[in-house]
Amino acid sequence: MENIDWSDLSFGYMKTDYNVRCYYRDGKWGELEVCSSDVINIHMAATCLHYGQESFEGLKVFKGKDGKARVFRMDENAKRMQSSSRGIMMAELPVEKFEEAVRKVVKLNERFIPPYESGAALYVRPLMLGLGAQVGVKPATEYLFMIFVTPVGPYFKGGFKPSDVCIMREYDRAAPCGTGTIKVGGNYAASLVAGEKAHSKGYAAVLYLDPREKKYLDECGPANFFGIRGNSYITPKSNSILPSITNKSLMQLAESMGMTVERRPVPVEELATFDEAAECGTAAVIAPIARIDDLDENKSYVFSKNGKPGPVCEKLYNKLRAIQYGDEPDPYGWVTVIE
């Protein structure tokens, strides 16, 4: 442990001491099991391998100035995982069992929680897999829920600094009325080609347009998008966008700051009217956008000319982080102290 440079961690996997597992068999969930192996043994005909019965979540634990470990809105992650289970016919894990597992795995790996002000956090990754062997296209009868943790640094190497993104109309992230609103691996697999193409051109992410008409803003890479215009916080609404817990939190903070919050279809042309733009999610919190290049229309929308985040993004970012670390009061009941 003494060899870990907490301030220089990547957003990657580091082996920790334990993970927690729970099996669904014979129509019910079993007890939580503690495991030190980071390997899963599954049947070669498991539905997660063939028919995509797999979902996952992501949340973070932060160590405060007082030395206490705090987890952010884990009940929302539990409910979103239930939504994913309904979307692809998997067993629903009770919220209480999810929260019990989070507390257990964090306590077991307490020594891996990065210290306060290191810029790092303990990333918590719950996942669920269809284990039952099936050859026909049907849901499994057995499931595995598990959580592992790993200390991580910032999602983007530059940290809280603006980056460039691009619009490419030849790719869709998810289909209308498909799996875009739930957190399943297939959505992310479908974004890899476009994402790598964007990276090769020097962009941090792809800002997708709606898959039906290519007229409205959708998700930005693996994150939600929002724009700031005057005193308004504007974020897209569609039936192919994952409901981000971070975005939900930022909307509440914006309202408490006296801003008007608009969650609605956002035409791509409206980008020209925004003062600031950003993507948001658990991994990055807020990733400000410097410029959006519409590669098909040969247009650019510039939001940062000095390489710095806009004032509203910075205020929202600092406010949310202060609540997560326990530096400011939590009037919303978002934070749970792990004791």
Side-chain angles (χ1 to χ4, degrees):
M1 293 297 296
E2 62 274 5
N3 296 324
I4 297 177
D5 184 351
W6 299 109
S7 62
D8 194 37
L9 285 177
S10 65
F11 196 89
Y13 177 75
M14 176 187 295
K15 182 173 171 56
T16 51
D17 292 333
Y18 301 101
N19 56 80
V20 173
R21 308 180 183 198
C22 185
Y23 290 89
Y24 179 88
R25 296 184 177 115
D26 301 320
K28 61 182 184 296
W29 288 100
E31 297 301 314
L32 296 182
E33 302 173 13
V34 177
C35 185
S36 59
S37 171
D38 50 8
V39 174
I40 307 170
N41 290 318
I42 59 175
H43 195 284
M44 60 185 176
T47 60
C48 63
L49 300 176
H50 298 267
Y51 305 123
Q53 275 202 300
E54 178 274 346
S55 71
F56 68 100
E57 282 294 324
L59 54 160
K60 283 182 176 177
V61 174
F62 307 88
K63 184 164 283 187
K65 192 183 297 183
D66 56 7
K68 293 180 179 178
R70 291 170 171 83
V71 61
F72 186 69
R73 304 197 78 171
M74 62 176 168
D75 59 320
E76 291 292 331
N77 290 95
K79 288 183 278 190
R80 192 168 64 181
M81 179 163 260
Q82 288 182 332
S83 175
S84 295
S85 290
R86 290 191 294 273
I88 55 173
M89 291 196 72
M90 295 199 296
E92 288 186 42
L93 185 79
V95 172
E96 298 76 21
K97 181 78 79 173
F98 184 101
E99 293 184 346
E100 180 190 356
V102 171
R103 288 189 179 93
K104 194 173 191 72
V105 78
V106 171
K107 286 297 291 180
L108 287 168
N109 296 285
E110 199 166 7
R111 70 192 188 102
F112 288 96
I113 304 174
Y116 178 72
E117 285 191 332
S118 63
L122 186 72
Y123 188 75
V124 182
R125 170 52 60 86
L127 65 149
M128 192 180 296
L129 304 172
L131 292 189
Q134 299 283 5
V135 176
V137 182
K138 61 180 78 171
T141 56
E142 293 186 9
Y143 295 91
L144 166 64
F145 167 75
M146 68 178 296
I147 306 184
F148 67 83
V149 299
T150 185
V152 296
Y155 188 75
F156 293 109
K157 290 180 182 177
F160 186 61
K161 293 179 182 177
S163 56
D164 299 337
V165 305
C166 65
I167 296 171
M168 293 191 292
R169 287 171 179 75
E170 69 265 37
Y171 297 101
D172 291 327
R173 188 190 69 90
C177 305
T179 57
T181 58
I182 59 178
K183 199 167 176 68
V184 294
N187 296 340
Y188 296 81
S191 72
L192 292 176
V193 172
E196 285 303 304
K197 188 173 181 180
H199 294 159
S200 72
K201 294 176 179 290
Y203 297 102
V206 178
L207 175 55
Y208 293 94
L209 300 186
D210 78 281
R212 178 171 282 131
E213 299 181 274
K214 302 290 184 180
K215 290 182 179 179
Y216 302 97
L217 304 182
D218 207 82
E219 287 220 306
C220 190
N224 276 194
F225 174 89
F226 70 87
I228 304 296
R229 183 173 61 235
N231 200 43
S232 294
Y233 180 106
I234 302 161
T235 191
K237 180 182 181 181
S238 87
N239 57 7
S240 57
I241 291 178
L242 180 75
S244 162
I245 296 163
T246 303
N247 197 7
K248 184 178 182 178
S249 306
L250 291 172
M251 285 188 267
Q252 258 184 283
L253 290 179
E255 279 188 343
S256 71
M257 287 161 47
M259 298 184 71
T260 300
V261 173
E262 301 176 29
R263 184 170 172 259
R264 55 169 172 80
V266 180
V268 65
E269 295 80 13
E270 197 170 339
L271 287 171
T273 71
F274 292 155
D275 304 315
E276 302 175 39
E279 51 183 311
C280 61
T282 296
V285 185
I286 293 176
I289 295 172
R291 189 181 80 242
I292 297 173
D293 290 340
D294 188 333
L295 301 182
D296 302 305
E297 300 292 328
N298 199 27
K299 289 182 182 177
S300 289
Y301 304 93
V302 179
F303 307 101
S304 174
K305 294 179 181 178
N306 60 3
K308 296 180 180 178
V312 178
C313 281
E314 190 159 16
K315 189 175 181 181
L316 287 167
Y317 177 81
N318 289 335
K319 184 72 174 177
L320 187 59
R321 296 268 290 175
I323 291 173
Q324 290 175 330
Y325 278 95
D327 291 337
E328 288 190 17
D330 172 25
Y332 311 100
W334 289 343
V335 171
T336 301
V337 176
I338 306 291
E339 293 178 312

